[in-house]
Amino acid sequence: MTKATLLAILFFSPIALAQQNLQEAQELLLMGLATTKEIIKNESLAWDKSFYQSLIEDDDANIKLLGYTKILSRSYGLDEKNSLQNIAIELNSMLASEVLSPKSIATIDNLCFSTKLEPFCDHEALFARQNKSMPDNASIYLQRFSLAYKDNNQDEIDQLIKNIAQSTYIDIHMYLHEGFRIKLEEYVKDNPFSKNELAMENLLILGFLHPNSKESEEISDNMENILIFVKVVVAKLREPIPSFKNIWEECNNNEKHEQACLKISELFINKSKSLITALIGHKIKIEIFKQRGNSKELEQAEASRDEYKNYYECVANIMNYRSPYISRKGVEFSKIAEPIEREFGEVALFESLAKLNYDYYSLTDKNINNPENCKKKPQTEDRDRGQTRTSSSSTNTFNPLQK
């Protein structure tokens, strides 16, 4: 049997996959490719390292930062050129750059508090840049609050609680900088993925989804874009989630902050881009009402939380219907939705993907739920105009924040 025949069987025959387990299918593929999983893994790691080094060498501080974020992760090793001291010097100098985006400032904030860079960072310069660039964003106080809580500095804790409560929105930047995908797509053009890696990823996807012949062929023909999508998703999953534990404990245990903490809960619920922040807001409010002993307030707060959760879970189910995202259409949908998430947040992301998925599958599949059937839609904020809008999915041209 020739190599081409082996690959054709694996790529386009669901029957072959049904007759053998994934391990056997992998062994057959590796035999046809005349390689090993270890070699494919090492090829992939070498490609990743080269790509991230290209980001570090970029002239744009926002892009350079994307590369440093990777090499500071546990899976990457530092070298003499990219030592902690040298990286810290770069990051400290970036804080003076006018082109540095709020997302990048938030990334530096995380790196300077959650990695070995902490002793080398210019924290005062970082605080000053946060205050200058996004003074109304409550997230700029989260790391400072953790430090004050750790030091048991009650005066500073009290002040930071007030600062958070007086903020007008909270964006914890749990999304990728738009430059990541752009640079990744550009790099792939000149540095294609290993054919062996594409073949193995193809096999794993087919083995997981068990698609029909037409779907299998579409996946196989679109593997480069799918692998780009996978790398974008993996990078996004590495985005850090700030700790709200200390704020929660202070609001739960210090009665003098009740009014400020209720303001914080409303801020987190109604003026946030992330689901986790909104849910933390609901939790703070519910616990305060439990301590008040007011059953009516508590019941309303719990109902509001459940309504919020039920809505986004309903939308998420439509978004994930028939596992569409490892497919040609799914990749297209994700590219459309990414800028929506950056501007309007996670709920708008879910809504956009659900609407796109519904419009696509409802033409041939009547089992998919219409997003309009999901219950009350949480409000999202237009931060530029200060107007509250609700999302709509009833028009042919999708606008996740249509009035």
Side-chain angles (χ1 to χ4, degrees), residues 130-145:
Q130 288 176 316
N131 290 336
K132 177 183 177 181
S133 299
M134 40 185 167
D136 297 325
N137 186 357
S139 73
I140 69 175
Y141 302 111
L142 297 180
Q143 299 286 17
R144 301 178 220 182
F145 191 90

Side-chain angles (χ1 to χ4, degrees), residues 248 252 265 269 277-290 301 305:
W248 151 250
N252 194 39
S265 72
I269 292 168
T277 312
L279 292 174
I280 292 293
H282 282 291
K283 184 176 181 181
I284 290 173
K285 181 188 285 190
I286 288 170
E287 290 303 317
I288 289 175
F289 289 160
K290 279 183 180 178
R305 175 203 58 195

